[in-house]
Amino acid sequence: MNDAALNYAHMSSVNQVYPVIWQSDASGNAPDRVLLIDQTRLPNEYAFVEISRCDDMARAIKTMIVRGAPAIGVAAAYGMYLGARELDETERDRFLAGLEGVAETLRQTRPTAVNLFWATERMLKVARQTLGSVDYLKQALLETAKQINADDIQTCQAIGGHGLSVLPTSPEKLRLLTHCNAGALATAGYGTALGVVRSAWQAERLERLYADETRPRLQGAKLTAWECVQEGIPVTVITDSMAAHCMKQGMIDAVVVGADRIAANGDAANKIGTYSVALIAKAHNVPFFVAAPLSTIDFSIADGSQIPIEERDPEEVCQVGDTILCPPGVDYYNPAFDVTPASLITAIVTEFGAFVPSQIQTELQSRKIV
């Protein structure tokens, strides 16, 4: 997939931020498709990529046109439908076998983001359990993808409310720090960590958000800051290495970050550098919150040591844009995520409430949520 193979719809203004949108063509002149905000072009250009094939959706996920665990899950759900639509099989068992192949194509794109696996499995389960013709199964898959999309927005709004309820009560106007982007761009809309920030802003409890720039892909500087500017939320971008100084100076009242996968014991994988922020927060007695939907919790793994860590292209480290930063001959190491131990996390905020990390599985089971 390259620019020549993509249809870009350029936008001049932004209201609500929805990174994944299903678009039906009522005229019948073009196939129904998915619109993705091309996050690799932000903040300089606000444009949508039109996706109508599963392979293109897989590449969009892998190349981070769409990114953020919940948004990847929503995109993957639509990718499952697009792949199903491309299957010519009319016999049920052969169709289901083909759909397994579609799921595997999508699973290989981003190994750490558990929402991707959750979404593909949910789509497979719907296909297996739905009776009727293959065409009926395909329609059921589309409706399920739409539901996953809608549910995620409601989930993020609930996370924002629960997060607001556990933020420090003093001072009245809080100064929060976040790392990477866990906002509307990383979800179906509103955001997880940035959803908490939005809720605090709407409740007039936010003085300022400090956004780590988040090397090497700069999601904080490019994406979190862009979202805040759209809504008039006061935001200050700092380099990752400034977080300790800011906390020592008493400039940060709490940290709120997202997660791509959370183990059963509460260990949380998030964008590389999050572990460092958690250590700094612990050293300065600053509460550290992880905001994520239930679908991000992987109860099949006991702790964070079992979370697969994606390693990305060294080019992300050695250059920014077209500018080469390092001399020829050096080696590179580029893990995309690190794991923050549960012991450093004050609470994990989900759509069902905020939980002490070590107790999250027990609490959810006692309430018959899992």
Side-chain angles (χ1 to χ4, degrees):
M1 183 178 65
N2 52 44
D3 285 357
L6 297 177
N7 187 359
Y8 279 88
H10 295 272
M11 310 297 288
S12 59
S13 63
V14 183
N15 293 312
Q16 298 286 335
V17 176
Y18 299 111
V20 186
I21 301 171
W22 176 255
Q23 185 176 70
S24 298
D25 184 63
S27 69
N29 295 326
D32 295 345
R33 54 201 176 273
V34 181
L35 299 181
L36 302 176
I37 295 177
D38 187 347
Q39 299 189 37
T40 66
R41 298 192 171 209
L42 290 172
N44 298 321
E45 185 177 10
Y46 177 53
F48 283 95
V49 179
E50 297 180 357
I51 302 287
S52 57
R53 298 175 61 252
C54 176
D55 283 349
D56 286 345
M57 182 63 83
R59 293 189 186 97
I61 294 171
K62 189 171 184 64
T63 60
M64 298 179 73
I65 286 174
V66 60
R67 30 75 46 209
I72 288 172
V74 173
Y78 283 123
M80 287 288 289
Y81 167 70
L82 295 176
R85 188 172 68 179
E86 296 169 30
L87 296 174
D88 293 329
E89 301 291 347
T90 57
E91 196 276 320
R92 179 185 177 87
D93 288 343
R94 291 187 177 183
F95 171 77
L96 291 176
L99 196 62
E100 291 280 358
V102 171
E104 185 57 29
T105 295
L106 292 163
R107 289 187 193 116
Q108 292 177 0
T109 56
R110 299 294 305 277
T112 304
V114 73
N115 302 64
L116 184 155
F117 299 87
W118 170 85
T120 54
E121 184 54 39
R122 179 171 169 181
M123 296 289 281
L124 286 171
K125 184 177 181 180
V126 166
R128 297 183 194 114
Q129 295 181 348
T130 299
L131 301 178
S133 67
V134 167
D135 284 342
Y136 185 76
L137 264 63
K138 290 179 181 179
Q139 188 60 34
L141 289 171
L142 176 57
E143 294 306 316
T144 301
K146 290 179 178 178
Q147 191 62 55
I148 290 172
N149 194 342
D151 288 348
D152 188 69
I153 295 175
Q154 294 181 354
T155 292
C156 289
Q157 291 170 341
I159 289 171
H162 290 304
L164 175 61
S165 70
V166 296
L167 288 175
T169 56
S170 179
E172 181 180 352
K173 297 279 191 177
L174 296 169
R175 298 155 302 172
L176 304 178
L177 172 73
T178 193
H179 188 77
C180 194
N181 172 263
L185 288 167
T187 63
Y190 201 74
T192 53
L194 209 52
V196 177
V197 173
R198 281 189 168 90
S199 293
W201 176 245
Q202 292 165 8
E204 299 184 348
R205 291 225 49 221
L206 181 72
E207 177 179 315
R208 178 163 297 275
L209 177 69
Y210 288 87
D212 280 349
E213 63 176 353
T214 320
R215 280 280 291 155
R217 290 190 63 94
L218 304 174
Q219 295 100 322
K222 291 182 177 180
L223 305 181
T224 295
W226 179 83
E227 284 195 44
C228 290
V229 168
Q230 306 314 307
E231 297 189 32
I233 296 173
V235 59
T236 297
V237 174
I238 61 174
T239 67
D240 298 358
S241 57
M242 294 176 186
H245 172 79
C246 290
M247 289 192 205
K248 186 177 181 181
Q249 297 301 312
M251 297 167 58
I252 308 298
D253 300 306
V255 179
V256 187
V257 301
D260 286 76
R261 187 179 300 212
I262 300 172
N265 74 332
D267 293 349
N270 192 50
K271 187 55 56 183
I272 191 73
T274 303
Y275 178 35
S276 302
V277 176
L279 288 168
I280 296 165
K282 187 74 169 180
H284 293 88
N285 200 30
V286 173
F288 182 95
F289 300 99
V290 172
L294 181 63
S295 57
T296 300
I297 304 174
D298 186 351
F299 292 108
S300 71
I301 58 175
D303 58 54
S305 66
Q306 300 174 45
I307 297 176
I309 300 299
E310 173 188 2
E311 290 193 34
R312 294 187 59 80
D313 193 324
E315 185 177 280
E316 295 179 349
V317 175
C318 72
Q319 69 183 76
V320 175
D322 296 328
T323 302
I324 304 297
L325 303 176
C326 306
V330 302
D331 295 325
Y332 302 96
Y333 177 47
N334 188 21
F337 304 93
D338 55 26
V339 176
T340 298
S343 60
L344 298 178
I345 301 171
T346 305
I348 295 174
V349 183
T350 76
E351 67 269 38
F352 296 102
F355 304 92
V356 175
S358 61
Q359 300 174 9
I360 190 166
Q361 185 171 24
T362 302
E363 287 286 339
L364 292 171
Q365 286 174 340
S366 68
R367 292 167 57 176
K368 298 182 179 179
I369 295 171
V370 296

